[in-house]
Amino acid sequence: MSKCIAITGCSRGIGLALVKQYLLHTEHVVYAGTRNKADSLEALQASDTSYKTRLHIQEGQDMKHPVQAAQDLVQALNGKHIDVLVHNAGVYLNKGKDLLEGLDESVMAENIFVNTVAPLVMTRHLLASFAPRATIAAISSQLGSISQAHIQDYSYSISKAGLNMGLKILSQELKDKGIRVCAISPGWVKTDMGGMNAPMDLQKSVEYVQKVIDSGIRGGPVFLSFSGREVPW
């Protein structure tokens, strides 16, 4: 049965690979958001005739403006309901320079707004567009695990820990609506954000991420690794 999948941050990296994963291995319809011109998505859309009806590209989806992003997605859906929403868009500003000496409050504020606040705000404005028993998944990070915290950039780690807390609360609030909420750590992946020294292959990561999203695990908030194992909050 075809489902409606909405993914943010799809111009490159995990977002783009996840779009390809759903198009290649399912019959689902994908709404792919991207902040800038989506050359990679447009090339993908042109590569197969079926993608013209199954891939809907939303250029200009900026997570600094999550209300507008939600409104644009609702308009694009044109009455359809979301079965899976993947909050993938995120930033890692001042990477490697964000310990105490390099701490910048404006960088911290932007990291936290985009990574923590925006997914919750966008979700709020999409509530009426979710299908029964929908799934809300967010790409988090093991760096957001408080119990496993180590010396790392403050802003990014705090933003992902905040995202995890928001998702835990969200899962409780939406439980009666039958909406499943999960945070997923995709591993340290070879992307522009993760760097080429990362040990995890991008394709392998998104294969695992898709399996976790589609697993249907319910019954409470979960923080899962790319392999489906629980990560301590």
Side-chain angles (χ1 to χ4, degrees), residues 12 24 202 215 233:
R12 58 185 180 177
L24 287 169
L202 175 59
S215 66
W233 296 100

Side-chain angles (χ1 to χ4, degrees), residues 100-163:
L100 281 179
E101 283 192 12
L103 203 62
D104 183 317
E105 59 266 33
S106 64
V107 169
M108 179 171 278
E110 186 171 346
N111 269 315
I112 291 173
F113 185 83
V114 173
N115 295 345
T116 311
V117 179
L120 296 173
V121 173
M122 188 174 183
T123 298
R124 173 193 170 196
H125 287 271
L126 290 172
L127 276 180
S129 295
F130 286 112
R133 296 181 65 79
T135 293
I136 299 171
I139 302 301
S140 185
S141 171
Q142 195 164 336
L143 295 178
S145 170
I146 292 176
S147 64
Q148 295 185 352
H150 58 280
I151 296 176
Q152 188 54 259
D153 302 69
Y154 281 102
S155 299
Y156 185 77
S157 297
I158 289 170
S159 74
K160 290 301 186 179
L163 171 65

Side-chain angles (χ1 to χ4, degrees), residues 9-21:
C10 297
S11 62
R12 58 185 180 177
I14 290 173
L16 177 59
L18 197 54
V19 171
K20 292 178 180 178
Q21 181 72 13

Side-chain angles (χ1 to χ4, degrees), residues 37-54:
K37 184 165 172 43
D39 292 334
S40 298
L41 289 172
E42 290 172 0
L44 178 62
Q45 192 178 53
S47 68
D48 189 298
T49 55
S50 74
Y51 296 170
K52 292 179 180 178
T53 56
R54 292 176 52 219

Side-chain angles (χ1 to χ4, degrees), residues 1-92:
M1 180 178 176
S2 176
K3 294 183 178 181
C4 178
I5 315 293
I7 307 171
T8 67
C10 297
S11 62
R12 58 185 180 177
I14 290 173
L16 177 59
L18 197 54
V19 171
K20 292 178 180 178
Q21 181 72 13
Y22 273 110
L23 290 176
L24 287 169
H25 300 288
T26 76
E27 296 300 318
H28 301 333
V29 175
V30 180
Y31 288 79
T34 175
R35 184 177 60 181
N36 301 314
K37 184 165 172 43
D39 292 334
S40 298
L41 289 172
E42 290 172 0
L44 178 62
Q45 192 178 53
S47 68
D48 189 298
T49 55
S50 74
Y51 296 170
K52 292 179 180 178
T53 56
R54 292 176 52 219
L55 175 58
H56 301 269
I57 302 170
Q58 287 188 277
E59 294 180 351
Q61 188 186 74
D62 190 342
M63 288 301 106
K64 291 181 183 179
H65 306 286
V67 176
Q68 186 64 54
Q71 291 172 344
D72 290 346
L73 177 55
V74 170
Q75 185 175 4
L77 288 167
N78 194 28
K80 298 184 183 71
H81 287 88
I82 301 168
D83 293 290
V84 176
L85 171 63
V86 183
H87 289 295
N88 168 71
V91 293
Y92 195 164

Side-chain angles (χ1 to χ4, degrees), residues 186 188-191 198-208:
W188 183 11
V189 186
K190 286 185 175 69
T191 62
M200 173 63 69
D201 175 73
L202 175 59
Q203 181 56 37
K204 182 61 67 176
S205 175
V206 297
E207 287 173 7
Y208 282 126

